[in-house]
Amino acid sequence: MNHLIINRLDYQEHQVLGIGFIFDGIKKIWEFKTLELPWKGNLKQVSCIPAGSYPLRKISSPSHGWCFEVIGVQNRTNIQVHSANFFSDLLGCIAPGMDYGDINNDGVFDVISSKLAMDKILENLPESTTIEIYGKF
């Protein structure tokens, strides 16, 4: 069964950048970039979530359309993998992208073509699976 893995690589003041992978067992299906908020003690709406393994389920979000919800994060709810380009679009969620770039020329990396990346994730993951997040926190 296909599952999602995120490896956090670059911890910056405003965000965390990483690489996401969809695997079928040990076979890599697809690779993409990720954008999250920085670590702030797992505080709601301002922090990325702790590294770990979590159930992941496809949902229809009123604000983000079809996306995936990360379940079982201690003291947190409504954590999603959804399309977004800027760290300022996130409230503790994870944004996928095709690449990094400074879309709005503010000197901070954004993810490019997030909707396209999200569509590819939706195509390649089952309704219910797991997400594994690796990194410092």
Side-chain angles (χ1 to χ4, degrees), residues 28-112:
K28 182 174 79 169
I29 303 295
W30 187 58
E31 181 178 319
F32 57 96
K33 309 299 189 223
T34 62
L35 175 68
E36 299 176 78
L37 291 178
W39 177 253
K40 293 187 178 178
N42 195 34
L43 293 174
K44 294 176 184 177
Q45 299 188 336
V46 297
S47 176
C48 61
I49 63 174
S53 183
Y54 304 97
L56 191 66
R57 70 175 175 194
K58 186 177 181 181
I59 63 165
S60 178
S61 163
S63 52
H64 301 115
W66 286 107
C67 61
F68 281 89
E69 181 179 24
V70 182
I71 303 164
V73 179
Q74 187 174 5
N75 301 318
R76 301 279 294 274
T77 59
N78 202 33
I79 304 302
Q80 299 172 355
V81 178
H82 66 77
S83 63
N85 294 105
F86 311 105
F87 73 86
S88 57
D89 294 333
L90 300 173
L91 296 172
C93 297
I94 302 166
M98 300 301 283
D99 205 350
Y100 298 119
D102 187 2
I103 298 170
N104 57 357
N105 297 312
D106 64 355
V108 177
F109 277 123
D110 313 304
V111 286
I112 298 170

